[in-house]
Amino acid sequence: MNSPTVTEALQTRKSIRAFNRQPVELSVVQEILELAALSPSGGNVQPWKVDVLTGNALRELTQKVQIAVQSSRGKTEPEFPTYPENMVDPYNNRRKDCGEVMYEALNIPREDKMQRMMQTLRNFEFFGAPVGIIITAHQQMGMPQAMDIGIFMQSIMLLASERGLDTCPQVSWSIFPQPVKEYLGLGDDRKVMAGMCLGYKNNDEAVNNISQPRATLNEFASFHGF
């Protein structure tokens, strides 16, 4: 099978929320990360640190975080706000619509709060992926370095697509960082920026086949001097 072009990878990549158990070879993960590390960063700071988990390590981490989340009763100390407070439209509407498209595919109605909560907890199982990635940065790092990490993560996702793998980037791991830091032995000088699922999607799950709408070029771009 021919590898997709960058254009094809961007057109076909989806955030996968149900994986099968097919393992991913360590050499493949290493190759992806080595190439992703060629991503640009301001001043060549390269602010990312990466922990990759599979097997027992993955199960132990997810169990630890699941217990912490369920016992927290919604109280946590996130590394940073996931979204701006009182986010304005159209951004807030896009966020809401994104959730509704996903829950519709999962056949979870708005009034079923328990099932929606259980689906949210699936984030902390890496949606069943055989490989989980935690990306951290030094506490000194700010918004410009967060942008660099976003570029690094996009590189991982495109490289994974090229190799027939599927991914899901997850900011959710930054919401409950303490059990992650404890399990990985990270000091107080580290902050959890994001996680990522890596593996092969379960083709039988409808949630993996949804398409989220994108703004048109005219909605987000202006051209000057052409």
Side-chain angles (χ1 to χ4, degrees):
M1 184 177 67
N2 293 329
S3 298
T5 65
V6 174
T7 297
E8 290 167 341
L10 284 168
Q11 290 173 330
T12 58
R13 187 213 64 81
K14 294 179 183 293
S15 293
I16 297 304
R17 292 181 173 87
F19 289 80
N20 64 37
R21 296 298 181 182
Q22 183 179 347
V24 181
E25 293 292 330
L26 174 61
S27 60
V28 175
V29 181
Q30 290 173 326
E31 181 183 47
I32 288 173
L33 292 177
E34 285 179 348
L35 290 169
L38 298 173
S39 301
S41 59
N44 197 30
V45 167
Q46 305 169 71
W48 47 79
K49 288 283 189 177
V50 181
D51 285 272
V52 185
L53 304 99
T54 193
N56 288 334
L58 182 68
R59 285 189 288 273
E60 289 171 0
L61 172 66
T62 56
Q63 288 170 3
K64 184 178 183 67
V65 177
Q66 286 271 340
I67 291 170
V69 172
Q70 293 182 49
S71 63
S72 71
R73 298 188 179 184
K75 295 181 180 179
T76 182
E77 296 181 9
E79 301 283 21
F80 44 80
T82 303
Y83 300 104
E85 187 176 357
N86 300 319
M87 186 163 59
V88 300
D89 291 330
Y91 314 107
N92 194 46
N93 279 334
R94 289 173 184 167
R95 180 186 65 84
K96 291 179 180 178
D97 291 345
C98 175
E100 290 308 314
V101 169
M102 181 187 70
Y103 286 123
E104 183 177 353
L106 291 164
N107 197 28
I108 303 177
R110 183 187 296 271
E111 61 271 14
D112 195 339
K113 304 299 184 184
M114 178 59 69
Q115 282 301 311
R116 290 199 170 197
M117 183 182 73
M118 295 303 293
Q119 177 61 29
T120 298
L121 287 175
R122 291 278 290 154
N123 275 281
F124 302 106
E125 298 174 348
F126 290 104
F127 295 112
V131 176
I133 299 173
I134 297 293
I135 301 172
T136 63
H138 194 277
Q139 282 286 357
Q140 285 186 327
M141 301 302 161
M143 186 178 295
Q145 289 74 47
M147 293 171 62
D148 294 338
I149 289 172
I151 296 170
F152 174 68
M153 293 178 67
Q154 174 78 315
S155 296
I156 293 174
M157 290 187 282
L158 294 178
L159 289 162
S161 293
E162 184 182 38
R163 287 154 180 76
L165 287 156
D166 298 291
T167 55
C168 183
Q170 300 172 284
V171 74
S172 53
W173 293 94
S174 71
I175 301 174
F176 288 92
Q178 292 307 319
V180 178
K181 292 179 181 179
E182 289 172 8
Y183 182 80
L184 296 177
L186 303 177
D188 292 337
D189 63 336
R190 307 298 305 172
K191 54 184 175 182
V192 177
M193 301 298 293
M196 187 179 295
C197 312
L198 179 68
Y200 299 92
K201 69 178 180 180
N202 185 336
N203 290 309
D204 296 329
E205 295 289 342
V207 72
N208 288 338
N209 298 313
I210 61 177
S211 294
Q212 295 287 358
R214 294 292 192 264
T216 65
L217 184 63
N218 287 338
E219 289 180 272
F220 68 83
S222 299
F223 299 90
H224 310 271
F226 285 88

mmCIF file of all heavy atoms in Angstrom, residues 144-184:
data_model
loop_
_atom_site.group_PDB
_atom_site.id
_atom_site.type_symbol
_atom_site.label_atom_id
_atom_site.label_comp_id
_atom_site.label_asym_id
_atom_site.label_seq_id
_atom_site.Cartn_x
_atom_site.Cartn_y
_atom_site.Cartn_z
ATOM 1 N N PRO A 144 4.591 30.426 23.541
ATOM 2 C CA PRO A 144 5.336 30.105 22.322
ATOM 3 C C PRO A 144 5.817 28.662 22.282
ATOM 4 O O PRO A 144 5.791 28.010 21.233
ATOM 5 C CB PRO A 144 6.515 31.091 22.365
ATOM 6 C CG PRO A 144 6.010 32.241 23.168
ATOM 7 C CD PRO A 144 5.155 31.613 24.220
ATOM 8 N N GLN A 145 6.241 28.125 23.441
ATOM 9 C CA GLN A 145 6.703 26.743 23.480
ATOM 10 C C GLN A 145 5.538 25.754 23.374
ATOM 11 O O GLN A 145 5.683 24.664 22.833
ATOM 12 C CB GLN A 145 7.494 26.484 24.768
ATOM 13 C CG GLN A 145 8.850 27.171 24.804
ATOM 14 C CD GLN A 145 8.761 28.672 25.036
ATOM 15 O OE1 GLN A 145 8.032 29.120 25.935
ATOM 16 N NE2 GLN A 145 9.467 29.452 24.235
ATOM 17 N N ALA A 146 4.366 26.166 23.869
ATOM 18 C CA ALA A 146 3.174 25.334 23.682
ATOM 19 C C ALA A 146 2.846 25.220 22.192
ATOM 20 O O ALA A 146 2.429 24.158 21.714
ATOM 21 C CB ALA A 146 1.991 25.921 24.444
ATOM 22 N N MET A 147 3.042 26.313 21.453
ATOM 23 C CA MET A 147 2.847 26.266 20.005
ATOM 24 C C MET A 147 3.846 25.310 19.358
ATOM 25 O O MET A 147 3.501 24.531 18.461
ATOM 26 C CB MET A 147 2.979 27.668 19.413
ATOM 27 C CG MET A 147 1.878 28.618 19.840
ATOM 28 S SD MET A 147 2.184 30.334 19.344
ATOM 29 C CE MET A 147 2.200 30.177 17.559
ATOM 30 N N ASP A 148 5.094 25.331 19.828
ATOM 31 C CA ASP A 148 6.096 24.408 19.309
ATOM 32 C C ASP A 148 5.676 22.953 19.549
ATOM 33 O O ASP A 148 5.846 22.092 18.672
ATOM 34 C CB ASP A 148 7.448 24.648 19.994
ATOM 35 C CG ASP A 148 8.051 26.003 19.658
ATOM 36 O OD1 ASP A 148 7.681 26.592 18.623
ATOM 37 O OD2 ASP A 148 8.899 26.475 20.435
ATOM 38 N N ILE A 149 5.142 22.678 20.727
ATOM 39 C CA ILE A 149 4.707 21.316 21.044
ATOM 40 C C ILE A 149 3.544 20.910 20.152
ATOM 41 O O ILE A 149 3.433 19.753 19.728
ATOM 42 C CB ILE A 149 4.344 21.212 22.542
ATOM 43 C CG1 ILE A 149 5.626 21.285 23.375
ATOM 44 C CG2 ILE A 149 3.576 19.930 22.846
ATOM 45 C CD1 ILE A 149 5.411 21.376 24.862
ATOM 46 N N GLY A 150 2.659 21.864 19.823
ATOM 47 C CA GLY A 150 1.574 21.579 18.884
ATOM 48 C C GLY A 150 2.103 21.167 17.519
ATOM 49 O O GLY A 150 1.577 20.238 16.888
ATOM 50 N N ILE A 151 3.159 21.846 17.050
ATOM 51 C CA ILE A 151 3.775 21.487 15.774
ATOM 52 C C ILE A 151 4.368 20.085 15.859
ATOM 53 O O ILE A 151 4.218 19.262 14.943
ATOM 54 C CB ILE A 151 4.854 22.516 15.390
ATOM 55 C CG1 ILE A 151 4.223 23.891 15.170
ATOM 56 C CG2 ILE A 151 5.613 22.080 14.143
ATOM 57 C CD1 ILE A 151 5.235 25.020 15.028
ATOM 58 N N PHE A 152 5.041 19.806 16.974
ATOM 59 C CA PHE A 152 5.636 18.487 17.213
ATOM 60 C C PHE A 152 4.562 17.397 17.185
ATOM 61 O O PHE A 152 4.739 16.345 16.564
ATOM 62 C CB PHE A 152 6.359 18.516 18.556
ATOM 63 C CG PHE A 152 6.914 17.215 19.022
ATOM 64 C CD1 PHE A 152 7.979 16.607 18.368
ATOM 65 C CD2 PHE A 152 6.406 16.593 20.160
ATOM 66 C CE1 PHE A 152 8.515 15.403 18.824
ATOM 67 C CE2 PHE A 152 6.924 15.393 20.626
ATOM 68 C CZ PHE A 152 7.979 14.797 19.951
ATOM 69 N N MET A 153 3.423 17.662 17.823
ATOM 70 C CA MET A 153 2.339 16.680 17.855
ATOM 71 C C MET A 153 1.743 16.467 16.468
ATOM 72 O O MET A 153 1.409 15.336 16.089
ATOM 73 C CB MET A 153 1.261 17.125 18.850
ATOM 74 C CG MET A 153 1.728 17.101 20.297
ATOM 75 S SD MET A 153 0.462 17.681 21.466
ATOM 76 C CE MET A 153 -0.768 16.373 21.301
ATOM 77 N N GLN A 154 1.587 17.538 15.709
ATOM 78 C CA GLN A 154 1.084 17.388 14.337
ATOM 79 C C GLN A 154 2.037 16.526 13.519
ATOM 80 O O GLN A 154 1.596 15.679 12.728
ATOM 81 C CB GLN A 154 0.920 18.765 13.690
ATOM 82 C CG GLN A 154 0.532 18.738 12.205
ATOM 83 C CD GLN A 154 -0.945 18.439 11.994
ATOM 84 O OE1 GLN A 154 -1.526 17.543 12.618
ATOM 85 N NE2 GLN A 154 -1.566 19.184 11.113
ATOM 86 N N SER A 155 3.334 16.701 13.719
ATOM 87 C CA SER A 155 4.301 15.878 13.004
ATOM 88 C C SER A 155 4.117 14.407 13.357
ATOM 89 O O SER A 155 4.154 13.536 12.476
ATOM 90 C CB SER A 155 5.728 16.328 13.337
ATOM 91 O OG SER A 155 5.970 17.643 12.892
ATOM 92 N N ILE A 156 3.916 14.119 14.645
ATOM 93 C CA ILE A 156 3.681 12.732 15.065
ATOM 94 C C ILE A 156 2.456 12.163 14.359
ATOM 95 O O ILE A 156 2.481 11.039 13.838
ATOM 96 C CB ILE A 156 3.499 12.649 16.590
ATOM 97 C CG1 ILE A 156 4.805 12.996 17.303
ATOM 98 C CG2 ILE A 156 3.017 11.264 17.011
ATOM 99 C CD1 ILE A 156 4.675 13.080 18.818
ATOM 100 N N MET A 157 1.386 12.937 14.311
ATOM 101 C CA MET A 157 0.142 12.438 13.716
ATOM 102 C C MET A 157 0.285 12.181 12.221
ATOM 103 O O MET A 157 -0.219 11.179 11.702
ATOM 104 C CB MET A 157 -0.997 13.423 14.004
ATOM 105 C CG MET A 157 -1.394 13.444 15.474
ATOM 106 S SD MET A 157 -2.856 14.447 15.824
ATOM 107 C CE MET A 157 -2.144 16.089 15.792
ATOM 108 N N LEU A 158 0.969 13.068 11.513
ATOM 109 C CA LEU A 158 1.156 12.874 10.077
ATOM 110 C C LEU A 158 2.086 11.699 9.798
ATOM 111 O O LEU A 158 1.856 10.906 8.863
ATOM 112 C CB LEU A 158 1.689 14.146 9.434
ATOM 113 C CG LEU A 158 0.742 15.351 9.451
ATOM 114 C CD1 LEU A 158 1.410 16.563 8.813
ATOM 115 C CD2 LEU A 158 -0.571 15.032 8.743
ATOM 116 N N LEU A 159 3.139 11.556 10.582
ATOM 117 C CA LEU A 159 4.046 10.426 10.425
ATOM 118 C C LEU A 159 3.342 9.111 10.738
ATOM 119 O O LEU A 159 3.595 8.087 10.086
ATOM 120 C CB LEU A 159 5.257 10.602 11.339
ATOM 121 C CG LEU A 159 6.236 11.711 10.934
ATOM 122 C CD1 LEU A 159 7.125 12.100 12.112
ATOM 123 C CD2 LEU A 159 7.083 11.262 9.747
ATOM 124 N N ALA A 160 2.449 9.135 11.740
ATOM 125 C CA ALA A 160 1.674 7.937 12.060
ATOM 126 C C ALA A 160 0.754 7.568 10.902
ATOM 127 O O ALA A 160 0.654 6.393 10.517
ATOM 128 C CB ALA A 160 0.863 8.164 13.337
ATOM 129 N N SER A 161 0.086 8.565 10.328
ATOM 130 C CA SER A 161 -0.788 8.304 9.179
ATOM 131 C C SER A 161 -0.008 7.693 8.026
ATOM 132 O O SER A 161 -0.492 6.786 7.347
ATOM 133 C CB SER A 161 -1.458 9.603 8.722
ATOM 134 O OG SER A 161 -2.366 10.087 9.686
ATOM 135 N N GLU A 162 1.200 8.193 7.802
ATOM 136 C CA GLU A 162 2.034 7.668 6.723
ATOM 137 C C GLU A 162 2.308 6.180 6.912
ATOM 138 O O GLU A 162 2.450 5.433 5.942
ATOM 139 C CB GLU A 162 3.360 8.432 6.679
ATOM 140 C CG GLU A 162 4.278 8.029 5.536
ATOM 141 C CD GLU A 162 5.595 8.771 5.563
ATOM 142 O OE1 GLU A 162 6.130 9.004 6.674
ATOM 143 O OE2 GLU A 162 6.098 9.120 4.482
ATOM 144 N N ARG A 163 2.330 5.736 8.154
ATOM 145 C CA ARG A 163 2.632 4.343 8.476
ATOM 146 C C ARG A 163 1.384 3.511 8.734
ATOM 147 O O ARG A 163 1.474 2.402 9.257
ATOM 148 C CB ARG A 163 3.582 4.300 9.680
ATOM 149 C CG ARG A 163 4.984 4.735 9.312
ATOM 150 C CD ARG A 163 5.773 5.299 10.483
ATOM 151 N NE ARG A 163 7.114 5.691 10.034
ATOM 152 C CZ ARG A 163 7.371 6.798 9.336
ATOM 153 N NH1 ARG A 163 6.391 7.636 9.032
ATOM 154 N NH2 ARG A 163 8.608 7.073 8.948
ATOM 155 N N GLY A 164 0.218 4.060 8.398
ATOM 156 C CA GLY A 164 -1.025 3.314 8.556
ATOM 157 C C GLY A 164 -1.551 3.276 9.972
ATOM 158 O O GLY A 164 -2.437 2.470 10.281
ATOM 159 N N LEU A 165 -1.020 4.133 10.831
ATOM 160 C CA LEU A 165 -1.445 4.174 12.223
ATOM 161 C C LEU A 165 -2.449 5.297 12.444
ATOM 162 O O LEU A 165 -2.557 6.224 11.644
ATOM 163 C CB LEU A 165 -0.235 4.388 13.133
ATOM 164 C CG LEU A 165 0.698 3.193 13.289
ATOM 165 C CD1 LEU A 165 2.095 3.647 13.688
ATOM 166 C CD2 LEU A 165 0.143 2.221 14.315
ATOM 167 N N ASP A 166 -3.155 5.189 13.558
ATOM 168 C CA ASP A 166 -4.163 6.184 13.919
ATOM 169 C C ASP A 166 -3.803 6.827 15.249
ATOM 170 O O ASP A 166 -3.086 6.241 16.072
ATOM 171 C CB ASP A 166 -5.542 5.533 13.999
ATOM 172 C CG ASP A 166 -5.976 4.963 12.664
ATOM 173 O OD1 ASP A 166 -6.241 5.765 11.753
ATOM 174 O OD2 ASP A 166 -6.022 3.725 12.531
ATOM 175 N N THR A 167 -4.320 8.024 15.475
ATOM 176 C CA THR A 167 -3.972 8.799 16.663
ATOM 177 C C THR A 167 -5.177 9.553 17.202
ATOM 178 O O THR A 167 -6.196 9.697 16.528
ATOM 179 C CB THR A 167 -2.871 9.836 16.337
ATOM 180 O OG1 THR A 167 -3.315 10.654 15.242
ATOM 181 C CG2 THR A 167 -1.552 9.161 15.977
ATOM 182 N N CYS A 168 -5.010 10.060 18.408
ATOM 183 C CA CYS A 168 -5.961 11.026 18.973
ATOM 184 C C CYS A 168 -5.183 11.926 19.931
ATOM 185 O O CYS A 168 -4.678 11.442 20.955
ATOM 186 C CB CYS A 168 -7.099 10.336 19.714
ATOM 187 S SG CYS A 168 -8.349 11.502 20.355
ATOM 188 N N PRO A 169 -5.031 13.206 19.616
ATOM 189 C CA PRO A 169 -4.380 14.124 20.550
ATOM 190 C C PRO A 169 -5.328 14.424 21.707
ATOM 191 O O PRO A 169 -6.532 14.557 21.517
ATOM 192 C CB PRO A 169 -4.129 15.363 19.695
ATOM 193 C CG PRO A 169 -5.204 15.330 18.659
ATOM 194 C CD PRO A 169 -5.480 13.885 18.393
ATOM 195 N N GLN A 170 -4.778 14.539 22.921
ATOM 196 C CA GLN A 170 -5.628 14.664 24.105
ATOM 197 C C GLN A 170 -5.088 15.720 25.064
ATOM 198 O O GLN A 170 -4.064 15.510 25.711
ATOM 199 C CB GLN A 170 -5.679 13.329 24.858
ATOM 200 C CG GLN A 170 -6.234 12.153 24.078
ATOM 201 C CD GLN A 170 -6.045 10.880 24.883
ATOM 202 O OE1 GLN A 170 -4.945 10.349 24.963
ATOM 203 N NE2 GLN A 170 -7.110 10.414 25.500
ATOM 204 N N VAL A 171 -5.796 16.805 25.201
ATOM 205 C CA VAL A 171 -5.438 17.788 26.221
ATOM 206 C C VAL A 171 -5.931 17.340 27.596
ATOM 207 O O VAL A 171 -5.516 17.866 28.618
ATOM 208 C CB VAL A 171 -6.015 19.181 25.865
ATOM 209 C CG1 VAL A 171 -7.516 19.221 26.106
ATOM 210 C CG2 VAL A 171 -5.303 20.283 26.647
ATOM 211 N N SER A 172 -6.788 16.327 27.627
ATOM 212 C CA SER A 172 -7.399 15.870 28.877
ATOM 213 C C SER A 172 -6.373 15.481 29.941
ATOM 214 O O SER A 172 -6.629 15.627 31.140
ATOM 215 C CB SER A 172 -8.330 14.677 28.608
ATOM 216 O OG SER A 172 -7.648 13.655 27.905
ATOM 217 N N TRP A 173 -5.205 15.001 29.514
ATOM 218 C CA TRP A 173 -4.201 14.577 30.491
ATOM 219 C C TRP A 173 -3.647 15.748 31.293
ATOM 220 O O TRP A 173 -3.108 15.552 32.392
ATOM 221 C CB TRP A 173 -3.078 13.817 29.792
ATOM 222 C CG TRP A 173 -3.566 12.509 29.249
ATOM 223 C CD1 TRP A 173 -4.024 12.272 27.995
ATOM 224 C CD2 TRP A 173 -3.685 11.282 29.963
ATOM 225 N NE1 TRP A 173 -4.419 10.962 27.872
ATOM 226 C CE2 TRP A 173 -4.217 10.332 29.065
ATOM 227 C CE3 TRP A 173 -3.389 10.889 31.259
ATOM 228 C CZ2 TRP A 173 -4.468 9.015 29.434
ATOM 229 C CZ3 TRP A 173 -3.634 9.574 31.636
ATOM 230 C CH2 TRP A 173 -4.167 8.653 30.726
ATOM 231 N N SER A 174 -3.787 16.965 30.777
ATOM 232 C CA SER A 174 -3.325 18.137 31.526
ATOM 233 C C SER A 174 -4.310 18.543 32.618
ATOM 234 O O SER A 174 -3.983 19.364 33.479
ATOM 235 C CB SER A 174 -3.106 19.313 30.571
ATOM 236 O OG SER A 174 -4.350 19.817 30.085
ATOM 237 N N ILE A 175 -5.507 17.971 32.592
ATOM 238 C CA ILE A 175 -6.531 18.332 33.579
ATOM 239 C C ILE A 175 -6.278 17.641 34.913
ATOM 240 O O ILE A 175 -6.536 18.195 35.984
ATOM 241 C CB ILE A 175 -7.927 17.985 33.036
ATOM 242 C CG1 ILE A 175 -8.197 18.743 31.727
ATOM 243 C CG2 ILE A 175 -9.011 18.309 34.063
ATOM 244 C CD1 ILE A 175 -9.491 18.352 31.044
ATOM 245 N N PHE A 176 -5.790 16.399 34.868
ATOM 246 C CA PHE A 176 -5.468 15.632 36.075
ATOM 247 C C PHE A 176 -3.986 15.238 36.025
ATOM 248 O O PHE A 176 -3.647 14.061 35.854
ATOM 249 C CB PHE A 176 -6.354 14.392 36.181
ATOM 250 C CG PHE A 176 -7.777 14.689 36.524
ATOM 251 C CD1 PHE A 176 -8.719 14.869 35.523
ATOM 252 C CD2 PHE A 176 -8.185 14.814 37.848
ATOM 253 C CE1 PHE A 176 -10.039 15.158 35.834
ATOM 254 C CE2 PHE A 176 -9.495 15.099 38.172
ATOM 255 C CZ PHE A 176 -10.432 15.273 37.168
ATOM 256 N N PRO A 177 -3.103 16.212 36.180
ATOM 257 C CA PRO A 177 -1.680 15.925 35.987
ATOM 258 C C PRO A 177 -1.007 15.196 37.145
ATOM 259 O O PRO A 177 0.004 14.516 36.938
ATOM 260 C CB PRO A 177 -1.076 17.315 35.791
ATOM 261 C CG PRO A 177 -1.969 18.217 36.579
ATOM 262 C CD PRO A 177 -3.339 17.647 36.426
ATOM 263 N N GLN A 178 -1.517 15.345 38.365
ATOM 264 C CA GLN A 178 -0.785 14.835 39.524
ATOM 265 C C GLN A 178 -0.555 13.328 39.491
ATOM 266 O O GLN A 178 0.578 12.870 39.703
ATOM 267 C CB GLN A 178 -1.503 15.260 40.824
ATOM 268 C CG GLN A 178 -1.454 16.746 41.087
ATOM 269 C CD GLN A 178 -0.042 17.302 41.052
ATOM 270 O OE1 GLN A 178 0.889 16.678 41.556
ATOM 271 N NE2 GLN A 178 0.129 18.463 40.435
ATOM 272 N N PRO A 179 -1.581 12.501 39.253
ATOM 273 C CA PRO A 179 -1.313 11.054 39.215
ATOM 274 C C PRO A 179 -0.389 10.659 38.070
ATOM 275 O O PRO A 179 0.348 9.678 38.185
ATOM 276 C CB PRO A 179 -2.704 10.432 39.061
ATOM 277 C CG PRO A 179 -3.567 11.521 38.517
ATOM 278 C CD PRO A 179 -3.017 12.790 39.089
ATOM 279 N N VAL A 180 -0.421 11.414 36.973
ATOM 280 C CA VAL A 180 0.492 11.151 35.854
ATOM 281 C C VAL A 180 1.925 11.405 36.290
ATOM 282 O O VAL A 180 2.824 10.583 36.061
ATOM 283 C CB VAL A 180 0.134 12.027 34.633
ATOM 284 C CG1 VAL A 180 1.121 11.779 33.500
ATOM 285 C CG2 VAL A 180 -1.284 11.747 34.161
ATOM 286 N N LYS A 181 2.148 12.546 36.947
ATOM 287 C CA LYS A 181 3.498 12.901 37.406
ATOM 288 C C LYS A 181 3.998 11.901 38.441
ATOM 289 O O LYS A 181 5.182 11.518 38.437
ATOM 290 C CB LYS A 181 3.489 14.312 37.996
ATOM 291 C CG LYS A 181 3.248 15.418 36.983
ATOM 292 C CD LYS A 181 3.236 16.772 37.672
ATOM 293 C CE LYS A 181 2.977 17.895 36.689
ATOM 294 N NZ LYS A 181 2.940 19.224 37.342
ATOM 295 N N GLU A 182 3.116 11.485 39.326
ATOM 296 C CA GLU A 182 3.513 10.528 40.360
ATOM 297 C C GLU A 182 3.939 9.199 39.734
ATOM 298 O O GLU A 182 4.975 8.634 40.108
ATOM 299 C CB GLU A 182 2.360 10.312 41.341
ATOM 300 C CG GLU A 182 2.085 11.503 42.238
ATOM 301 C CD GLU A 182 0.821 11.336 43.052
ATOM 302 O OE1 GLU A 182 0.243 10.211 43.025
ATOM 303 O OE2 GLU A 182 0.400 12.299 43.718
ATOM 304 N N TYR A 183 3.155 8.708 38.800
ATOM 305 C CA TYR A 183 3.485 7.411 38.197
ATOM 306 C C TYR A 183 4.777 7.485 37.389
ATOM 307 O O TYR A 183 5.605 6.564 37.441
ATOM 308 C CB TYR A 183 2.345 6.912 37.305
ATOM 309 C CG TYR A 183 2.660 5.558 36.712
ATOM 310 C CD1 TYR A 183 2.498 4.396 37.462
ATOM 311 C CD2 TYR A 183 3.169 5.441 35.413
ATOM 312 C CE1 TYR A 183 2.830 3.160 36.946
ATOM 313 C CE2 TYR A 183 3.502 4.206 34.888
ATOM 314 C CZ TYR A 183 3.327 3.060 35.658
ATOM 315 O OH TYR A 183 3.674 1.844 35.137
ATOM 316 N N LEU A 184 4.964 8.564 36.646
ATOM 317 C CA LEU A 184 6.131 8.693 35.783
ATOM 318 C C LEU A 184 7.351 9.237 36.521
ATOM 319 O O LEU A 184 8.437 9.320 35.939
ATOM 320 C CB LEU A 184 5.802 9.605 34.592
ATOM 321 C CG LEU A 184 4.732 9.081 33.628
ATOM 322 C CD1 LEU A 184 4.445 10.118 32.543
ATOM 323 C CD2 LEU A 184 5.167 7.768 32.981
#
